[in-house]
Amino acid sequence: MKDKSIIDLSPPHFDTVTCLGSVGRTLISGSKDKMLRLWDLNTLECKYSHYNAHRDVITCMTTDTQYFYTGCKDSTIKVWEVPQSSWLPFFEEEEFD
């Protein structure tokens, strides 16, 4: 019997998934492969893949009703808009101590 609590999303990331977030019915995954993927939770299909979303491992993510924010091992933060998945560059290269 298949475990219904496990959702198999394909295509998978190329390395460990480090963070998850959601905005509405969109699931966002970040990974050590520097990639972001956006998944439609109604169809369980990958709607968007952003290769090299950061220059290093994506370590964290948080969301609100319209945006999601990703942090990277190199101390950069990026702001993204959903559903377009477009990056808003006003935080590029900012480092926070």
Side-chain angles (χ1 to χ4, degrees):
M1 186 163 102
K2 189 173 181 179
D3 185 349
K4 292 183 179 183
S5 67
I6 297 173
I7 299 172
D8 183 21
L9 299 174
S10 289
H13 282 274
F14 300 112
D15 206 336
T16 305
V17 172
T18 56
C19 53
L20 295 170
S22 65
V23 176
R25 297 295 300 160
T26 300
L27 176 70
I28 307 140
S29 57
S31 173
K32 286 184 175 183
D33 60 13
K34 307 175 198 174
M35 184 189 317
L36 290 171
R37 288 197 191 265
L38 278 73
W39 310 88
D40 182 322
L41 288 174
N42 294 318
T43 64
L44 301 180
E45 293 178 1
C46 182
K47 294 296 185 181
Y48 183 80
S49 295
H50 193 298
Y51 297 89
N52 294 312
H54 279 276
R55 287 181 292 204
D56 207 337
V57 174
I58 299 170
T59 58
C60 58
M61 178 187 315
T62 192
T63 62
D64 63 25
T65 58
Q66 185 176 359
Y67 302 100
F68 65 99
Y69 311 84
T70 55
C72 176
K73 188 175 178 183
D74 70 2
S75 301
T76 59
I77 295 172
K78 289 189 177 183
V79 180
W80 308 80
E81 188 171 13
V82 175
Q84 296 85 359
S85 307
S86 56
W87 166 49
L88 304 173
F90 47 82
F91 278 131
E92 182 181 25
E93 304 302 327
E94 290 293 324
E95 293 190 19
F96 299 91
D97 293 322

